[in-house]
PDB file of all heavy atoms in Angstrom:
ATOM      1  N   ALA Z 232    -124.513 -29.577  90.082  1.00  0.00           N
ATOM      2  CA  ALA Z 232    -123.909 -30.341  88.960  1.00  0.00           C
ATOM      3  C   ALA Z 232    -122.550 -29.624  88.469  1.00  0.00           C
ATOM      4  O   ALA Z 232    -121.483 -30.318  88.410  1.00  0.00           O
ATOM      5  CB  ALA Z 232    -124.838 -30.461  87.820  1.00  0.00           C
ATOM      6  N   HIS Z 233    -122.572 -28.291  88.473  1.00  0.00           N
ATOM      7  CA  HIS Z 233    -121.349 -27.607  88.069  1.00  0.00           C
ATOM      8  C   HIS Z 233    -120.414 -27.446  89.144  1.00  0.00           C
ATOM      9  O   HIS Z 233    -119.172 -27.532  88.968  1.00  0.00           O
ATOM     10  CB  HIS Z 233    -121.684 -26.186  87.372  1.00  0.00           C
ATOM     11  CG  HIS Z 233    -122.405 -26.329  86.092  1.00  0.00           C
ATOM     12  ND1 HIS Z 233    -123.782 -26.670  85.913  1.00  0.00           N
ATOM     13  CD2 HIS Z 233    -121.855 -26.251  84.883  1.00  0.00           C
ATOM     14  CE1 HIS Z 233    -123.967 -26.711  84.535  1.00  0.00           C
ATOM     15  NE2 HIS Z 233    -122.878 -26.491  84.013  1.00  0.00           N
ATOM     16  N   TRP Z 234    -120.757 -27.371  90.399  1.00  0.00           N
ATOM     17  CA  TRP Z 234    -119.915 -27.292  91.559  1.00  0.00           C
ATOM     18  C   TRP Z 234    -119.237 -28.659  91.649  1.00  0.00           C
ATOM     19  O   TRP Z 234    -118.043 -28.781  92.069  1.00  0.00           O
ATOM     20  CB  TRP Z 234    -120.728 -26.788  92.783  1.00  0.00           C
ATOM     21  CG  TRP Z 234    -120.897 -25.349  92.853  1.00  0.00           C
ATOM     22  CD1 TRP Z 234    -120.006 -24.410  92.611  1.00  0.00           C
ATOM     23  CD2 TRP Z 234    -122.191 -24.753  93.331  1.00  0.00           C
ATOM     24  NE1 TRP Z 234    -120.605 -23.142  92.831  1.00  0.00           N
ATOM     25  CE2 TRP Z 234    -121.959 -23.315  93.275  1.00  0.00           C
ATOM     26  CE3 TRP Z 234    -123.343 -25.236  93.697  1.00  0.00           C
ATOM     27  CZ2 TRP Z 234    -122.905 -22.453  93.606  1.00  0.00           C
ATOM     28  CZ3 TRP Z 234    -124.349 -24.406  93.990  1.00  0.00           C
ATOM     29  CH2 TRP Z 234    -124.208 -22.963  93.949  1.00  0.00           C
ATOM     30  N   ALA Z 235    -119.974 -29.633  91.431  1.00  0.00           N
ATOM     31  CA  ALA Z 235    -119.340 -30.975  91.385  1.00  0.00           C
ATOM     32  C   ALA Z 235    -118.395 -31.234  90.141  1.00  0.00           C
ATOM     33  O   ALA Z 235    -117.352 -31.787  90.431  1.00  0.00           O
ATOM     34  CB  ALA Z 235    -120.387 -32.031  91.518  1.00  0.00           C
ATOM     35  N   LYS Z 236    -118.801 -30.729  89.014  1.00  0.00           N
ATOM     36  CA  LYS Z 236    -118.024 -30.849  87.871  1.00  0.00           C
ATOM     37  C   LYS Z 236    -116.620 -30.365  88.121  1.00  0.00           C
ATOM     38  O   LYS Z 236    -115.633 -30.986  87.521  1.00  0.00           O
ATOM     39  CB  LYS Z 236    -118.628 -30.198  86.675  1.00  0.00           C
ATOM     40  CG  LYS Z 236    -117.847 -30.252  85.377  1.00  0.00           C
ATOM     41  CD  LYS Z 236    -118.626 -29.533  84.273  1.00  0.00           C
ATOM     42  CE  LYS Z 236    -117.757 -29.473  82.976  1.00  0.00           C
ATOM     43  NZ  LYS Z 236    -118.403 -28.733  81.954  1.00  0.00           N
ATOM     44  N   TYR Z 237    -116.529 -29.285  88.770  1.00  0.00           N
ATOM     45  CA  TYR Z 237    -115.189 -28.566  88.987  1.00  0.00           C
ATOM     46  C   TYR Z 237    -114.546 -28.970  90.275  1.00  0.00           C
ATOM     47  O   TYR Z 237    -113.695 -28.128  90.843  1.00  0.00           O
ATOM     48  CB  TYR Z 237    -115.257 -27.115  88.573  1.00  0.00           C
ATOM     49  CG  TYR Z 237    -115.698 -26.834  87.264  1.00  0.00           C
ATOM     50  CD1 TYR Z 237    -116.920 -26.387  86.860  1.00  0.00           C
ATOM     51  CD2 TYR Z 237    -114.727 -27.047  86.296  1.00  0.00           C
ATOM     52  CE1 TYR Z 237    -117.283 -26.112  85.585  1.00  0.00           C
ATOM     53  CE2 TYR Z 237    -115.022 -26.808  84.897  1.00  0.00           C
ATOM     54  CZ  TYR Z 237    -116.384 -26.310  84.572  1.00  0.00           C
ATOM     55  OH  TYR Z 237    -116.650 -26.178  83.190  1.00  0.00           O
ATOM     56  N   LYS Z 238    -115.066 -30.048  90.952  1.00  0.00           N
ATOM     57  CA  LYS Z 238    -114.396 -30.625  92.112  1.00  0.00           C
ATOM     58  C   LYS Z 238    -114.523 -29.899  93.332  1.00  0.00           C
ATOM     59  O   LYS Z 238    -113.640 -29.974  94.338  1.00  0.00           O
ATOM     60  CB  LYS Z 238    -112.880 -30.965  91.859  1.00  0.00           C
ATOM     61  CG  LYS Z 238    -112.666 -31.700  90.526  1.00  0.00           C
ATOM     62  CD  LYS Z 238    -113.395 -33.061  90.529  1.00  0.00           C
ATOM     63  CE  LYS Z 238    -113.067 -33.749  89.161  1.00  0.00           C
ATOM     64  NZ  LYS Z 238    -113.926 -35.008  89.012  1.00  0.00           N
ATOM     65  N   SER Z 239    -115.456 -28.963  93.442  1.00  0.00           N
ATOM     66  CA  SER Z 239    -115.726 -28.376  94.743  1.00  0.00           C
ATOM     67  C   SER Z 239    -116.677 -29.192  95.712  1.00  0.00           C
ATOM     68  O   SER Z 239    -116.370 -29.254  96.833  1.00  0.00           O
ATOM     69  CB  SER Z 239    -116.403 -26.973  94.483  1.00  0.00           C
ATOM     70  OG  SER Z 239    -115.563 -26.063  93.848  1.00  0.00           O
ATOM     71  N   LEU Z 240    -117.692 -29.754  95.085  1.00  0.00           N
ATOM     72  CA  LEU Z 240    -118.511 -30.743  95.864  1.00  0.00           C
ATOM     73  C   LEU Z 240    -118.075 -32.089  95.366  1.00  0.00           C
ATOM     74  O   LEU Z 240    -118.141 -32.493  94.151  1.00  0.00           O
ATOM     75  CB  LEU Z 240    -119.997 -30.472  95.467  1.00  0.00           C
ATOM     76  CG  LEU Z 240    -120.657 -29.135  95.962  1.00  0.00           C
ATOM     77  CD1 LEU Z 240    -122.010 -28.939  95.424  1.00  0.00           C
ATOM     78  CD2 LEU Z 240    -120.560 -29.000  97.439  1.00  0.00           C
ATOM     79  N   VAL Z 241    -117.670 -32.910  96.376  1.00  0.00           N
ATOM     80  CA  VAL Z 241    -117.170 -34.224  96.021  1.00  0.00           C
ATOM     81  C   VAL Z 241    -117.863 -35.237  97.068  1.00  0.00           C
ATOM     82  O   VAL Z 241    -118.417 -34.904  98.133  1.00  0.00           O
ATOM     83  CB  VAL Z 241    -115.655 -34.278  96.291  1.00  0.00           C
ATOM     84  CG1 VAL Z 241    -114.938 -33.439  95.222  1.00  0.00           C
ATOM     85  CG2 VAL Z 241    -115.251 -34.052  97.687  1.00  0.00           C
ATOM     86  N   PRO Z 242    -117.972 -36.482  96.531  1.00  0.00           N
ATOM     87  CA  PRO Z 242    -118.617 -37.593  97.368  1.00  0.00           C
ATOM     88  C   PRO Z 242    -117.905 -37.730  98.723  1.00  0.00           C
ATOM     89  O   PRO Z 242    -116.672 -37.469  98.844  1.00  0.00           O
ATOM     90  CB  PRO Z 242    -118.468 -38.886  96.581  1.00  0.00           C
ATOM     91  CG  PRO Z 242    -118.358 -38.382  95.182  1.00  0.00           C
ATOM     92  CD  PRO Z 242    -117.571 -37.020  95.290  1.00  0.00           C
ATOM     93  N   PRO Z 243    -118.594 -37.916  99.807  1.00  0.00           N
ATOM     94  CA  PRO Z 243    -120.012 -38.232  99.865  1.00  0.00           C
ATOM     95  C   PRO Z 243    -120.921 -37.005  99.986  1.00  0.00           C
ATOM     96  O   PRO Z 243    -122.117 -37.015 100.430  1.00  0.00           O
ATOM     97  CB  PRO Z 243    -120.170 -39.167 101.088  1.00  0.00           C
ATOM     98  CG  PRO Z 243    -119.128 -38.625 102.077  1.00  0.00           C
ATOM     99  CD  PRO Z 243    -118.075 -38.176 101.126  1.00  0.00           C
TER     100      PRO Z 243
END
Side-chain angles (χ1 to χ4, degrees):
H233 286 83
W234 282 313
K236 176 181 178 181
Y237 297 106
K238 309 302 181 185
S239 294
L240 295 173
V241 298

